[in-house]
Amino acid sequence: MPDSIYKFFPYNSHDLDALANNYLWFSHYSNFNDPFEDVFIKNSLSYVKDAFDEASAIKFYKHLHKGQLPPHVVEEAILDLKMRGEFEQSYHEMLLKTFKGVKNTFEKFVSESKACCFARDSQFGRVLKNRLMWSHYADGLRGFCVEFDRATLIQSISNGIGKDVFLSPMRYGELKAFDFKNLLAHTAEKINTENYEFGIGSLVSYKSKEWEYESEYRLITDAGNAIQIAPESIISITVGSKMADSKLNTLKSILRGNERIACTLYEAYIDTKSFNLERKKIGDISTQA
């Protein structure tokens, strides 16, 4: 079984052009349909200078430098700062400097990164049976959905841009400002362990729980908007049953005109007995080699 990811299209000229010319469009965060995304990432951390607790500060200091410096060097640095009466001040300065650095990194990420969004099968069911996905992203069964082989697609993008594309399965939960100190301590303590599940870096892949039905998977890069892909990564294309015949004929013509596309065509339709979305095969697109 292929490791598939799915992308829905409403059917417009840009969608058809992308199929004809082998690319996917990567959007800036400020252009996403969820207006909270860019705002949340830039404001997801809060920092308040709290009362100093030396034992906690020492533990935190050691976690933060773990793997960067030998333990005895960290111990000596802490002892030296304490002997000079500068440990508390150094600790707060380190926290504030780190906080500002992370904030700047998040702001740069939102400003420069571009993402292409997909869906995956999950505990919520099969993507192609998801009523909301067909309604919200494929114009109510008037658009279509492309199934990609994930590994082939990612490799082709990475080869094309000359560097690895960032892979981002999305997480979902309550949107809030996370306490920087606590989250940083958790990140430093857990990042190299099997118990690491959520840390500071996770915030760039975090959305409100209302979006959980999407089971979203993102590819992220700063290389550009129209990113070339290997059309061989396309496994199937499923069209909505409400797509006009003239549009379906145009879509087929574009697919057949791309000599590198070989995939199966399906139609997604509403079963009038179960009122579930079902799929049936309606043809094949073969390479012309």
Side-chain angles (χ1 to χ4, degrees):
M1 291 289 291
D3 180 9
S4 298
I5 54 178
Y6 301 83
K7 187 164 184 62
F8 289 83
F9 297 88
Y11 194 112
N12 57 43
S13 59
H14 301 295
D15 302 335
L16 300 180
D17 186 64
L19 280 174
N21 293 291
N22 306 324
Y23 70 85
L24 286 172
W25 187 263
F26 284 64
S27 299
H28 284 279
Y29 276 69
S30 58
N31 293 330
F32 285 175
N33 60 339
D34 179 0
F36 288 85
E37 291 224 31
D38 54 338
V39 176
F40 170 71
I41 294 174
K42 290 189 289 186
N43 298 279
S44 58
L45 291 170
S46 65
Y47 174 75
V48 178
K49 183 178 179 180
D50 54 9
F52 179 71
D53 178 86
E54 185 175 285
S56 297
I58 291 174
K59 180 180 179 181
F60 177 82
Y61 199 95
K62 289 180 178 179
H63 279 311
L64 193 62
H65 292 87
K66 186 177 180 179
Q68 300 178 4
L69 296 171
H72 74 277
V73 174
V74 178
E75 293 274 5
E76 291 171 1
I78 294 173
L79 181 60
D80 180 62
L81 288 168
K82 289 176 63 178
M83 291 181 64
R84 289 190 277 121
E86 298 174 359
F87 183 55
E88 180 178 350
Q89 178 182 346
S90 175
Y91 168 75
H92 285 302
E93 288 177 350
M94 175 188 67
L95 277 178
L96 182 58
K97 181 179 180 181
T98 306
F99 173 72
K100 290 181 178 178
V102 172
K103 287 276 288 183
N104 288 337
T105 298
F106 281 3
E107 290 175 1
K108 183 178 180 181
F109 177 88
V110 169
S111 174
E112 298 181 2
S113 297
K114 306 163 194 72
C116 191
C117 305
F118 304 82
R120 301 184 79 176
D121 293 335
S122 70
Q123 71 270 26
F124 295 98
R126 296 291 306 278
V127 171
L128 291 170
K129 289 179 173 287
N130 191 312
R131 298 181 182 93
L132 292 178
M133 295 298 290
W134 280 103
S135 298
H136 295 167
Y137 298 107
D139 193 21
L141 285 176
R142 297 172 185 86
F144 59 95
C145 179
V146 179
E147 177 188 7
F148 294 94
D149 179 84
R150 186 179 73 96
T152 304
L153 177 65
I154 289 171
Q155 189 61 55
S156 70
I157 292 174
S158 297
N159 290 343
I161 63 178
K163 56 184 176 182
D164 288 340
V165 63
F166 178 58
L167 318 179
S168 178
M170 299 302 290
R171 298 169 179 265
Y172 303 92
E174 178 189 358
L175 293 189
K176 62 180 182 179
F178 290 84
D179 180 79
F180 173 71
K181 178 178 175 292
N182 290 339
L183 191 56
L184 181 62
H186 177 80
T187 303
E189 181 179 359
K190 301 291 187 179
I191 193 167
N192 292 317
T193 72
E194 294 181 357
N195 296 324
Y196 180 75
E197 294 183 355
F198 190 85
I200 286 179
S202 306
L203 294 175
V204 300
S205 304
Y206 190 79
K207 292 183 68 172
S208 176
K209 196 171 180 64
E210 289 100 328
W211 298 92
E212 197 169 17
Y213 73 91
E214 294 183 347
S215 300
E216 189 177 342
Y217 186 91
R218 286 184 183 171
L219 302 182
I220 302 172
T221 181
D222 59 1
N225 294 113
I227 303 294
Q228 291 292 306
I229 67 167
E232 293 84 1
S233 63
I234 297 176
I235 297 173
S236 73
I237 295 178
T238 303
V239 302
S241 60
K242 294 189 177 184
M243 180 184 291
D245 289 342
S246 59
K247 289 188 173 182
L248 177 57
N249 290 334
T250 299
L251 177 61
K252 288 180 178 179
S253 177
I254 288 172
L255 294 174
R256 289 171 179 146
N258 189 326
E259 61 184 17
R260 292 173 60 191
I261 291 180
C263 68
T264 304
L265 284 180
Y266 296 91
E267 179 185 276
Y269 65 95
I270 300 172
D271 185 299
T272 56
K273 294 182 179 179
S274 67
F275 296 104
N276 291 322
L277 281 169
E278 302 295 343
R279 189 170 77 145
K280 63 183 179 182
K281 181 177 176 179
I282 58 174
D284 290 295
I285 301 297
S286 303
T287 57
Q288 301 174 20

